[in-house]
Amino acid sequence: MVPKTVTSKLSVSPQIAIDDLPALAEAGYGLVISNRPDGEEPGQPDAATMRRHAEAAGLRFEHIPVKSGEIGDDAVRQFDAAVEGESGKVHAFCRSGTRSASLWALSQAGKQPADTILQTTADAGYDLKALKPRIGNSFATKMAGYPDGLRANAARHDVVIVGGGAAGIATAASLLSRDSKLDIAIVEPREEHYYQPGWTMVGGGIFTQKSTRRTEASVIPSGVRWIKSAVRGFRPGDNVVDLEDGQAIGYRALVVAPGIMLDWDGIPGLRETLGRNGVTSNYSYETAPYTWELVKGLKEGTALFTQPPMPIKCAGAPQKAMYLSCDHWKRSGRLANIDVAFHNAGPALFGVKEYVPPLMHYIGGYGIDLQLESKLVGVDGPGRKATFSSKSGEVTRAFDMLHVCPPQKAPPFLKDSALVNEACYVEVDPTTLRHVRYPNIFGLGDAASTSNAKTAAAARQQAPVVAVNLLDMLAGREPSVGYNGYGSCPLTVERGKIVLAEFGYNGKLLPSFPKWLIDGTKPQRLSWWLKAEALPFIYWNGMLKGHEWLASPQPVDKVKAAA
């Protein structure tokens, strides 16, 4: 190990050996910092082992792990505090030393100019020019003394929308339909836009995979600026959104709609085997076609379907995959030879009691083994085994097909922000969708703290509410319209029939059609047509274009009175 000197106090290097620790102590070092996550590569000593040997050598030890390319502000602050808090010399290491050098460089932003910082790291052997926008922005912000926290040349917009999914695009379109002169920017790093409700139909062999995807550029409303970057953090007191590429974007009003994150790593073994070994999921564009491939190919054996704890996108989707699969096996005369089980981590088949009887009818008709409060905790793809935990303990089951709904959580950049509640969702008033602490911030979609079902149908109703109330706020008025918690879950119980679940806060039924036309508590063919034909058209040509079909916002007083 050869330390590379960054400053008179700090040196960095690639991974050090346990035997290097006494030499560091003899050289006058007082603190060793590891910036490597445990298990990053085979043979790497873990942090606990390094700490034990460091302390035995008379050194303090800090573990501040960061993944390559994912250095967050919290890690930078921890690193800076650790170095500044040590009276002696400090040595930091990672796999190559680059992350440690980067943490130091970022910790100096605002203390000295970017060129000085980058020359210092270059002299130590680390070319960190890619960090210049992020370092330079922080320095300019702190040194220029602008009261709103922006650089002199930073962009400012009337409205900044974080998230270019269904909720974000619909909100932008609804805003422009009311005021075409608004200066709106959408922050979205992805180049593809997906109609996610269609993936159930892809997995059932009804839709093509391609029909659910369009380019992000094609759905961004005309006149809206698309900022193709990821969010690093929020400064609500300064009306600023910080981006990963170093930009600082100012706003008069902010809409936070980044969606919810699929945690494929939340179940050990899942990511490694997803899309092969009989393991699939309709929650992924890439693997939904594999679901249909498995369904078509299964002649006999065991098929397992899973649902994790709430919250998740479209709580009915795990069941939809199961019912469509069973229907195909039934039509092809194979269902009797296939053991089907539904492992649901929740205490009930569905959260609204009125829809449970028709669903239980299909559970019984298809011969499905319903396992409630049974949570998937591990997958052995090559061995074709799945492990579940329940009140009675763990059980491992063999499978020929496993359809997994992954656990889900809010995006990481929300976790440590000032915008969220304890569950890390954007904390908004459930009726007005206005932030409870920051009056010029609104939240909607899957990342909002509202208790409604997380569905595209919910976002379709929420977007006009946010649009109207945001414009009220800009005009100095109080929010005038409200959201009643509406969500819709078209449960595809068989090919050609759907139980159309429509409900709001506290499970209140909120049907869109008269009962004589569509009785949502019964499987109906007209509901199937709605799902297969009408809703995709409404999504692409209505919701994303600012046409609020079946989604006109209602006065806030009327909504509260009807609750």
Side-chain angles (χ1 to χ4, degrees):
M1 184 272 301
V2 178
K4 296 183 178 181
T5 300
V6 179
T7 69
S8 58
K9 184 175 186 178
L10 175 71
S11 65
V12 301
S13 75
Q15 172 74 52
I16 65 174
I18 291 173
D19 292 341
D20 292 324
L21 293 168
L24 286 170
E26 290 177 8
Y29 285 85
L31 171 66
V32 173
I33 302 174
S34 169
N35 299 128
R36 298 195 73 180
D38 283 342
E40 195 171 46
E41 66 180 7
Q44 169 192 340
D46 61 29
T49 300
M50 293 296 292
R51 182 185 301 278
R52 187 169 64 252
H53 286 277
E55 291 175 350
L59 296 163
R60 291 198 307 112
F61 181 85
E62 291 275 0
H63 189 212
I64 307 173
V66 290
K67 293 182 179 179
S68 182
E70 298 181 16
I71 301 178
D73 287 349
D74 280 351
V76 174
R77 285 191 288 268
Q78 291 176 45
F79 187 92
D80 190 41
V83 173
E84 292 298 318
E86 172 57 41
S87 58
K89 293 197 295 183
V90 179
H91 183 76
F93 69 90
C94 56
R95 181 161 49 194
S96 66
T98 301
R99 275 170 283 178
S100 298
S102 297
L103 282 162
W104 175 82
L106 291 168
S107 75
Q108 298 305 297
K111 300 179 182 179
Q112 51 184 310
D115 289 342
T116 302
I117 297 169
L118 296 176
Q119 185 59 54
T120 300
T121 55
D123 291 343
Y126 295 97
D127 182 357
L128 303 181
K129 287 195 295 289
L131 292 178
K132 186 171 182 177
R134 184 171 171 186
I135 295 171
N137 175 61
S138 296
F139 179 73
T141 295
K142 293 181 180 180
M143 296 300 290
Y146 289 101
D148 61 358
L150 283 171
R151 292 177 294 166
N153 63 343
R156 179 190 289 280
H157 303 274
D158 291 331
V159 182
V160 170
I161 299 174
V162 173
I169 298 294
T171 301
S174 287
L175 281 166
L176 289 175
S177 71
R178 292 173 169 85
D179 185 351
S180 61
K181 295 180 181 180
L182 279 173
D183 174 13
I184 301 175
I186 290 178
V187 181
E188 173 54 65
R190 296 170 299 181
E191 295 191 359
E192 304 292 334
H193 185 100
Y194 300 99
Y195 177 56
Q196 296 182 34
W199 293 346
T200 292
M201 304 293 263
V202 174
I206 297 137
F207 287 0
T208 65
Q209 180 190 41
K210 186 178 179 180
S211 69
T212 67
R213 181 183 69 180
R214 295 188 183 179
T215 63
E216 184 70 18
S218 71
V219 298
I220 297 284
S222 177
V224 171
R225 181 190 174 195
W226 176 20
I227 302 174
K228 196 172 4 176
S229 182
V231 171
R232 179 162 57 90
F234 301 93
R235 284 184 276 153
D238 296 328
N239 297 325
V240 172
V241 178
D242 291 311
L243 307 183
E244 287 288 356
D245 63 6
Q247 292 187 74
I249 308 298
Y251 58 82
R252 294 174 62 204
L254 174 67
V255 177
V256 186
I260 196 170
M261 177 179 159
L262 302 176
D263 187 11
W264 299 108
D265 296 314
I267 300 174
L270 174 57
R271 183 182 288 277
E272 299 91 314
T273 194
L274 186 65
R276 56 196 180 96
N277 298 318
V279 181
T280 188
S281 178
N282 285 349
Y283 276 78
S284 164
Y285 175 81
E286 288 75 18
T287 57
Y290 185 49
T291 301
W292 180 232
E293 180 183 330
L294 292 172
V295 171
K296 289 190 297 181
L298 190 62
K299 304 295 190 297
E300 59 182 9
T302 299
L304 306 179
F305 296 81
T306 75
Q307 179 170 315
M310 295 297 173
I312 62 171
K313 301 185 198 183
C314 190
Q319 295 182 56
K320 298 177 190 181
M322 176 175 64
Y323 298 137
L324 284 178
S325 300
C326 287
D327 180 67
H328 177 78
W329 293 325
K330 182 178 180 180
R331 291 171 186 266
S332 58
R334 288 182 264 161
L335 185 58
N337 299 321
I338 299 173
D339 294 323
V340 182
F342 182 38
H343 287 262
N344 184 345
L349 180 61
F350 197 75
V352 181
K353 66 181 187 307
E354 285 83 356
Y355 300 109
V356 173
L359 297 179
M360 285 302 300
H361 172 78
Y362 280 91
I363 292 287
Y366 290 135
I368 297 169
D369 174 21
L370 177 60
Q371 296 287 325
L372 298 176
E373 298 183 301
S374 180
K375 175 184 174 183
L376 179 66
V377 295
V379 178
D380 174 5
R384 302 272 179 135
K385 294 179 181 179
T387 301
F388 300 89
S389 67
S390 65
K391 289 182 177 180
S392 58
E394 287 195 353
V395 60
T396 298
R397 301 187 65 171
F399 64 82
D400 297 282
M401 172 184 171
L402 174 65
H403 180 276
V404 178
C405 172
Q408 295 161 42
K409 59 186 180 181
F413 62 80
L414 281 179
K415 181 180 178 183
D416 297 318
S417 78
L419 306 185
V420 299
N421 61 9
E422 291 183 358
C424 296
Y425 290 90
V426 183
E427 193 170 12
V428 297
D429 179 277
T431 304
T432 66
L433 303 180
R434 189 184 199 179
H435 200 279
V436 298
R437 294 184 299 281
Y438 302 103
N440 65 334
I441 297 178
F442 296 80
L444 76 158
D446 294 347
S449 63
T450 50
S451 61
N452 59 278
K454 296 184 182 296
T455 66
R460 179 167 55 86
Q461 296 278 345
Q462 292 171 342
V465 172
V466 168
V468 172
N469 289 340
L470 186 152
L471 292 172
D472 284 338
M473 182 277 300
L474 290 178
R477 299 187 297 265
E478 287 300 305
S480 61
V481 297
Y483 169 63
N484 60 6
Y486 175 86
S488 175
C489 188
L491 293 150
T492 50
V493 289
E494 61 177 284
R495 193 180 186 113
K497 286 188 178 182
I498 275 178
V499 172
L500 183 58
E502 296 181 283
F503 49 92
Y505 289 137
N506 301 315
K508 181 179 180 179
L509 300 191
L510 295 173
S512 299
F513 307 96
K515 199 168 186 178
W516 60 264
L517 183 62
I518 295 180
D519 183 349
T521 63
K522 296 179 181 179
Q524 307 222 295
R525 294 193 181 278
L526 186 56
S527 299
W528 177 271
W529 173 85
L530 188 70
K531 166 75 173 176
E533 303 292 339
L535 290 180
F537 180 86
I538 290 172
Y539 182 83
W540 296 115
N541 301 288
M543 178 177 172
L544 301 189
K545 303 294 185 182
H547 303 302
E548 296 160 7
W549 303 325
L550 301 176
S552 298
Q554 299 298 309
V556 65
D557 293 341
K558 182 178 179 180
V559 172
K560 289 183 176 180

